[in-house]
Amino acid sequence: MICIVDKNNKIINIINTNIISADNERLFYPWNRLWCQYTSTEPFDYAKNRYINAAGVEFANRRDKIRWVEIGEITYGFDCAVDDITNFMAAYTPLMVNQDGETGYKVWLDKDKKGLVMLNYASMKKAYDTVRSSQLAAYVWYEDIKAKLIAVTEAEGKEKLEEVFPIGG
């Protein structure tokens, strides 16, 4: 995309092309907005939001990663994304209510293979407790990093954002 600027370098149009064909055309950057001053330099507020968003992606990865739980003498991997938690709770709830019984549940048998196994109440509770505590730790980590990023001032600069949460950019 290309920004068309007026004589004061204010963006008066944004067009969907990659070819600059006039003196008043400039490369488009994600922070450019119609009727705003054109800049090719990333504004601090845009950079700050980019770092907060990157921390959010890292948080989701931490929250949703497979948790490996030792059940008896076997270690199983439990998927932890939103849909997986729904499936887990559907299998675990009847056992939790009765605090007894068994249920079939699909887990990672190793890093490449999933399979259905029978798990009892104690095994499912251990998986639940492990996942819950590690997901809470991910939430605490994210809120801490986010607060630190929000607290960074423009005077401290983008270097401070990188120091708080390195993303290489």
Side-chain angles (χ1 to χ4, degrees), residues 7 9 14-16 18 23 45 47-48 51 60 65 80 90 105 115-116 118 120 124 133 140 148 151 159 161:
K7 64 183 178 183
N9 209 32
I14 299 171
I15 57 176
N16 192 13
N18 292 325
D23 290 341
D45 287 343
K48 183 186 266 192
Y51 276 81
K65 72 179 183 177
C80 296
Y105 193 69
L116 186 67
M118 293 303 292
N120 63 22
M124 291 293 278
S133 66
V140 169
K148 288 176 182 175
E159 296 79 17
L161 294 170

Side-chain angles (χ1 to χ4, degrees), residues 9-28:
N9 209 32
K10 183 187 278 188
I11 300 169
I12 58 173
N13 200 359
I14 299 171
I15 57 176
N16 192 13
T17 183
N18 292 325
I19 301 168
I20 295 177
S21 59
D23 290 341
N24 68 334
E25 295 179 354
R26 309 282 184 272
L27 288 175
F28 173 82

Side-chain angles (χ1 to χ4, degrees), residues 11 49 60 62 64 113 123 135:
I11 300 169
N49 284 332
R62 290 177 181 216
D64 297 350
K113 184 179 176 188
S123 300
Q135 285 186 326

Side-chain angles (χ1 to χ4, degrees), residues 3 7 15 31 39-40 43 49 54 57 66 76 80 89 101 104 106 125 127 132 138 142 144 146 152:
C3 296
K7 64 183 178 183
I15 57 176
W31 50 84
T39 180
S40 60
N49 284 332
V57 169
I66 295 170
Y76 296 118
C80 296
M89 290 309 297
K106 197 168 190 177
K125 182 175 183 341
R132 184 69 181 136
Y142 175 65
D144 179 57
K146 183 179 172 186
V152 175

Side-chain angles (χ1 to χ4, degrees), residues 65-67 69 71 76-80 88 105 107 119 127 131:
K65 72 179 183 177
I66 295 170
R67 302 314 196 283
V69 181
I71 308 247
Y76 296 118
F78 289 81
D79 289 315
C80 296
F88 180 88
Y105 193 69
V107 296
L119 298 169
V131 169

